[in-house]
Amino acid sequence: MNLEQIKEYIKENKELSLLDIKEKFNLSESEIKVLKPFLITFGIPLKTVNEIHSICEECPLNNSCKKKSEKDLGCCN
Amino acid sequence: MNKGHDQSQDHESSNTNVLTLDTGQNQNIEISIIGNPNVGKTSLFNILTGAKQYVANWPGVTVEKKVGTFKYKDATFKLVDLPGVYTLSSKSEDEKVAKDYIINKNYEIVILVADALNLESSMFLLLQLLEMNVNIILAINAIDEAKEKGRIIVPSPIIKTLNIPVVLTSARTGEGIDELLEVIYKYSLSKTKSRVKTRIKYPPNIDKFIQSFMELASNYPEIKINYSNYLENNWLPVYFLEFGNEDLNLPKSFLKELETLFDLDNLRAEYTKWKLDFISYLVSSSIINEGIDWSLRDILDHVLTHKVLGILIYIFAMFAVFSLTFNLAQPLSDLLELAFTSAGNYLSKVIPIPWLNSLVVEGVIGGVGGVLVFIPQIFILFFFLGFLEESGYLPRAAFLVDRIARSFGLSGRSFMSIILGFGCNVPAIISTKTIANKKERLALILSLPFASCSAKLPVYILLIGTFFSSNAALVLLLIYLSSIVLVLVSSKFLQRFITQSEDIPFIIELPRFRMPTFKNLAIYTWNRGKHFLQKAGGIILVATIIIWALSFFPNFGQDINSSYAAGIGKVFEPLTKHLGWDWRINTGLVFGIAAKEVVVSSYSTLFNVGEGSLSFALQNVLTPASALALIFFVLAYVPCFATLATIKSETNSWKWPIFTLFYTTVIAYLIANVVFFIGGIFI
């Protein structure tokens, strides 16, 4: 795994998924997992696209809202 | 005996000479818990502390601080839950909070929680903590899930190489928790001096750099004062090597001296390579995957995120969801309608006072009942959307349309906000916080009200069921796709005026595929659907009573055409008459500003009918083209009060909600006219 090459590739392409990198550099699932924190140290943030749930504390309507779920999944969920 | 127990014993046996108990200091021992995001850290925290916990904010930031206490044997522990992080830098607020806490060392030990399925991602943090000379217990969580997936964790290489205690745990089954408590107890009470410290053995060049850095730093009093915590255990040179001077602001003269001695870029690359190799060695020696075929997931990912095929699959998936929603819900909806009609008929006979009779039958039963008959559609839609989301498909669809969004000059993150907006615009707007480009974020905030929120569903279902029942799913799909296009085009349009800034590269991480459990789907469906019920008993009921009163007075229901409600609607008739919308349609739209469901309840009251005959009444007033224009108007016009309040809060200005009010109305009116014109040709 060549970190410098990966870093350059990401900077050229702006937005990629881990799958794109995995395919481009023929990395294993395990290598991709190792890679994640290194990317952060390079100043390339990871954005996880699985948070459909919002956070109640961040909501401006938090004080007056009655939508909060018992499981703390966030409002409107 | 479980694996976690085995390993803690393994640790104990390998460290018996260092675990000398100091039982004189066993009160309020502070320990902390750290780990990557979503590794089950909070679950372990909850198991250890139970109800004895409180939540506050870390000083100066909005990051949540969770603190709890627990007793084990004769010791009382204070447990601090640190934010989920991959590294200890200052790249985000979470990381800064965690780093500052760790570096200040007001604790005895740190429990690093790692996910057994993603152990590789925790190794970086583990190594970083060791570099800071922190006393660590590594808790490898979700060990049961790892076993199920054929992944075996062998902790002995980690224990022997790094000389730290390792416990295998499962927050779900409770496996390994007793062992963890025992290790915490023994390790935190052992005399500090007797603990074996792991000394990281760096390559010679790095060692030389650390030594020179420390010698040079000793000549700079300001470094000694400002970075005393970093200097302890030689972490300052390592941190500088890893993250550069951005967060540190070391004196320029110091940096110059350093640059004359070392080629920092080469050294940095050497350090990173050493770290990667070290982590790779640990990973390869401690994780065994038992012949699981991971390729199926890769193939699925490849197909579902394919530029062309993926889009077709997404359209088909949404079409299937909408078809199932209409087909499965209709019989149940008919039953509910029958129940409300019967209740209305019965009450109209037993309530003798005319105005009360009108209020209950036409106002409450007709209005609120008119909305409640759509409960089956709403719950079934949420159920299937929940399946797509929980299975991990929806994030992939989001990623797919992300690529399209980029061709609109938008940040890829935008589509996730649009998907959120399908539920409710409020969390969608809040979710734009993750978009680094502020101007681009503003464009998206102002465009997200075009995302078709679930409150608009009853209006769509009513009008689609009335005018387009043979192609219901197709029309609903068209509305949703139009909604996405509208947000994208609007963002692009607004960016022309307000945005010009540089893109920041980032990586999108997609969640694992998983089969959702029925229980999870039921909770998801209920959590979303119950708000609809709460609204029916709240704002919809109140708005319906107001509309009834406005339609009943001043002539006590004798002539609705000269009521207050008619007066409100007639103001807009010159603008809407050519679209085929009379005052009743307009009045419903006006009250729909409070909540979109109120449009339907208003129509039930204003057309003076229950839902069944409302369809017939609407068919007498609207043509299919004007109904389609109305659907698209509702899709785009003024967002609800809650959304406007959120826009105000997120932009910190009244200017933008006021702009949104006019912008969305003008766009909605233009779209309605275009749809009416085109619809008039084809329908």
Side-chain angles (χ1 to χ4, degrees):
Chain A
M1 177 159 49
N2 188 326
L3 287 173
E4 285 304 313
Q5 277 182 7
I6 294 172
K7 190 163 73 173
E8 284 311 307
Y9 179 68
I10 294 167
K11 284 186 175 167
E12 277 168 23
N13 288 278
K14 304 287 184 196
E15 291 176 23
L16 294 163
S17 74
L18 286 173
L19 183 68
D20 291 328
I21 296 166
K22 191 179 169 187
E23 284 178 0
K24 172 77 184 171
F25 294 95
N26 195 23
L27 302 178
S28 69
E29 192 67 29
S30 196
E31 284 172 317
I32 279 287
K33 288 173 186 170
V34 169
L35 178 67
K36 282 198 272 185
F38 283 95
L39 295 178
I40 295 167
T41 62
F42 296 155
I44 300 163
L46 271 176
K47 296 188 178 180
T48 307
V49 191
N50 68 349
E51 283 302 314
I52 306 267
H53 307 308
S54 54
I55 300 161
C56 284
E57 284 67 30
E58 289 183 357
C59 181
L61 309 173
N62 187 28
N63 292 335
S64 53
C65 181
K66 290 177 182 167
K67 289 182 173 181
K68 292 172 206 170
S69 62
E70 296 77 12
K71 295 224 168 241
D72 198 25
L73 291 176
C75 63
C76 319
N77 286 293
Chain B
M1 193 179 285
N2 59 38
K3 199 134 198 161
H5 190 81
D6 284 343
Q7 294 316 318
S8 64
Q9 280 202 332
D10 192 355
H11 157 70
E12 282 171 39
S13 58
S14 64
N15 293 283
T16 43
N17 58 331
V18 295
L19 293 174
T20 315
L21 292 193
D22 180 1
T23 50
Q25 303 170 6
N26 56 0
Q27 290 300 310
N28 284 321
I29 302 154
E30 184 163 328
I31 56 178
S32 65
I33 192 162
I34 195 169
N36 293 170
N38 304 317
V39 290
K41 193 165 57 71
T42 304
S43 302
L44 267 186
F45 177 87
N46 290 340
I47 288 174
L48 292 175
T49 60
K52 290 176 184 169
Q53 50 179 265
Y54 66 88
V55 177
N57 274 5
W58 291 92
V61 290
T62 54
V63 178
E64 195 177 83
K65 181 184 186 181
K66 221 170 173 185
V67 181
T69 57
F70 68 94
K71 283 185 178 180
Y72 185 72
K73 294 188 174 170
D74 61 339
T76 305
F77 295 93
K78 179 184 172 189
L79 184 61
V80 180
D81 186 13
L82 294 170
V85 292
Y86 283 103
T87 70
L88 291 170
S89 68
S90 296
K91 305 269 181 205
S92 70
E93 268 194 351
D94 283 355
E95 286 184 358
K96 196 173 180 319
V97 161
K99 185 193 74 181
D100 289 348
Y101 175 87
I102 296 288
I103 210 164
N104 284 325
K105 294 205 167 168
N106 296 319
Y107 51 85
E108 275 296 319
I109 48 173
V110 171
I111 304 167
L112 171 64
V113 183
D115 179 0
L117 287 165
N118 290 295
L119 184 58
E120 297 94 329
S121 299
S122 298
M123 288 300 185
F124 191 99
L125 188 58
L126 173 62
L127 209 52
Q128 221 175 0
L129 289 167
L130 285 169
E131 286 177 310
M132 293 168 85
N133 224 346
V134 170
N135 296 312
I136 309 164
I137 295 172
L138 175 62
I140 302 176
N141 195 33
I143 200 68
D144 54 328
E145 283 185 60
K147 278 179 198 163
E148 282 167 19
K149 292 183 191 296
R151 177 170 250 230
I152 296 170
I153 306 295
V154 186
S156 48
I158 302 173
I159 295 169
K160 285 173 185 163
T161 310
L162 304 178
N163 201 20
I164 56 166
V166 179
V167 186
L168 304 183
T169 64
S170 165
R172 194 171 66 168
T173 63
E175 182 181 336
I177 301 298
D178 290 342
E179 288 79 3
L180 179 63
L181 281 166
E182 191 61 27
V183 173
I184 292 170
Y185 178 75
K186 288 188 175 172
Y187 200 49
S188 60
L189 294 185
S190 62
K191 284 176 184 171
T192 311
K193 281 181 187 170
S194 65
R195 287 182 198 136
V196 171
K197 293 279 185 188
T198 305
R199 192 181 169 276
I200 304 279
K201 189 168 166 38
Y202 294 109
N205 280 345
I206 308 296
D207 258 341
K208 193 180 164 196
F209 169 78
I210 293 170
Q211 205 182 337
S212 302
F213 186 104
M214 294 299 282
E215 280 169 16
L216 206 57
S218 64
N219 300 329
Y220 286 81
E222 65 264 48
I223 295 180
K224 277 200 263 181
I225 295 165
N226 294 335
Y227 304 101
S228 58
N229 289 336
Y230 285 82
L231 286 167
E232 199 183 325
N233 304 318
N234 299 348
W235 198 53
L236 187 62
V238 174
Y239 188 88
F240 172 77
L241 210 49
E242 191 142 48
F243 299 104
N245 192 39
E246 206 177 310
D247 311 327
L248 294 171
N249 277 323
L250 293 169
K252 281 182 184 171
S253 53
F254 174 79
L255 291 176
K256 258 190 177 172
E257 278 195 68
L258 212 54
E259 277 165 7
T260 55
L261 293 172
F262 297 96
D263 180 344
L264 291 176
D265 286 340
N266 273 343
L267 209 59
R268 200 161 277 145
E270 189 180 344
Y271 172 76
T272 309
K273 190 179 178 311
W274 166 81
K275 202 165 199 172
L276 179 67
D277 290 345
F278 190 75
I279 289 173
S280 300
Y281 158 72
L282 280 178
V283 164
S284 61
S285 56
S286 55
I287 300 170
I288 300 168
N289 287 312
E290 276 185 333
I292 288 290
D293 182 17
W294 294 100
S295 59
L296 178 64
R297 187 172 64 190
D298 288 351
I299 291 166
L300 265 179
D301 260 337
H302 199 78
V303 172
L304 294 176
T305 57
H306 188 268
K307 281 175 190 171
V308 180
L309 203 58
I311 289 178
L312 293 176
I313 292 170
Y314 173 67
I315 291 172
F316 177 77
M318 294 311 283
F319 178 77
V321 166
F322 294 144
S323 293
L324 283 168
T325 300
F326 275 106
N327 293 332
L328 294 179
Q330 198 53 52
L332 298 168
S333 194
D334 289 344
L335 273 176
L336 273 176
E337 186 192 315
L338 189 69
F340 281 116
T341 309
S342 305
N345 288 340
Y346 173 74
L347 289 171
S348 69
K349 286 173 193 161
V350 297
I351 300 175
I353 307 162
W355 71 265
L356 189 61
N357 189 305
S358 173
L359 170 64
V360 173
V361 177
E362 288 153 19
V364 178
I365 304 276
V368 180
V371 178
L372 287 178
V373 292
F374 299 119
I375 285 174
Q377 281 91 340
I378 285 167
F379 273 74
I380 289 172
L381 180 65
F382 282 144
F383 183 85
F384 287 117
L385 285 179
F387 180 86
L388 293 182
E389 184 183 326
E390 296 282 314
S391 66
Y393 173 70
L394 223 47
R396 277 163 180 81
F399 172 67
L400 180 77
V401 188
D402 252 11
R403 290 178 173 171
I404 299 173
R406 269 182 268 168
S407 63
F408 278 79
L410 276 176
S411 150
R413 181 67 183 76
S414 58
F415 191 70
M416 210 55 210
S417 300
I418 301 174
I419 284 195
L420 269 171
F422 286 165
C424 175
N425 287 174
V426 171
I429 290 168
I430 297 168
S431 74
T432 61
K433 274 192 168 90
T434 56
I435 295 172
N437 185 319
K438 286 183 180 174
K439 288 178 178 177
E440 183 185 312
R441 183 178 168 228
L442 179 61
L444 190 60
I445 286 175
L446 300 178
S447 303
L448 275 172
F450 294 130
S452 186
C453 76
S454 60
K456 295 167 187 170
L457 265 176
V459 188
Y460 301 154
I461 296 167
L462 171 69
L463 294 170
I464 291 172
T466 303
F467 293 94
F468 310 101
S469 55
S470 53
N471 294 306
L474 205 60
V475 175
L476 195 53
L477 180 65
L478 175 73
I479 294 165
Y480 270 79
L481 293 180
S482 304
S483 165
I484 295 167
V485 171
L486 202 53
V487 177
L488 295 178
V489 172
S490 167
S491 295
K492 174 91 172 168
F493 170 72
L494 291 173
Q495 276 187 84
R496 291 176 74 90
F497 301 101
I498 57 175
T499 62
Q500 273 306 321
S501 55
E502 199 189 335
D503 281 348
I504 300 161
F506 67 88
I507 290 295
I508 294 167
E509 185 182 13
L510 295 170
R512 286 198 290 258
F513 276 119
R514 54 193 176 267
M515 181 55 76
T517 62
F518 184 79
K519 189 185 166 192
N520 280 351
L521 283 179
I523 291 170
Y524 177 99
T525 307
W526 172 245
N527 279 338
R528 292 208 165 202
K530 74 175 178 187
H531 304 316
F532 179 72
L533 295 175
Q534 286 166 345
K535 262 183 163 178
I539 192 164
I540 297 173
L541 177 64
V542 172
T544 304
I545 291 171
I546 293 170
I547 292 159
W548 170 84
L550 291 170
S551 63
F552 193 76
F553 297 107
N555 46 31
F556 297 94
Q558 295 303 310
D559 179 18
I560 198 170
N561 287 310
S562 57
S563 64
Y564 294 129
I568 295 169
K570 281 176 181 172
V571 170
F572 300 99
E573 266 192 350
L575 288 170
T576 63
K577 211 167 185 179
H578 67 283
L579 295 170
W581 306 350
D582 70 5
W583 68 263
R584 288 169 294 192
I585 300 293
N586 299 342
T587 307
L589 291 172
V590 170
F591 282 94
I593 296 170
K596 293 294 177 290
E597 298 93 332
V598 174
V599 174
V600 172
S601 64
S602 305
Y603 291 164
S604 297
T605 306
L606 296 171
F607 283 91
N608 211 3
V609 288
E611 197 276 333
S613 37
L614 178 59
S615 293
F616 295 108
L618 284 170
Q619 279 173 340
N620 288 330
V621 175
L622 299 170
T623 63
S626 53
L628 197 60
L630 181 58
I631 288 173
F632 275 88
F633 187 83
V634 170
L635 162 68
Y637 91 119
V638 184
C640 65
F641 292 146
T643 303
L644 290 171
T646 309
I647 293 173
K648 192 262 161 191
S649 162
E650 292 297 307
T651 59
N652 220 5
S653 160
W654 277 109
K655 182 172 72 177
W656 296 116
I658 293 168
F659 169 81
T660 307
L661 206 67
F662 290 102
Y663 174 63
T664 51
T665 309
V666 169
I667 297 291
Y669 186 67
L670 290 174
I671 291 172
N673 277 279
V674 171
V675 170
F676 180 74
F677 176 73
I678 297 172
I681 298 168
F682 293 102
I683 303 174

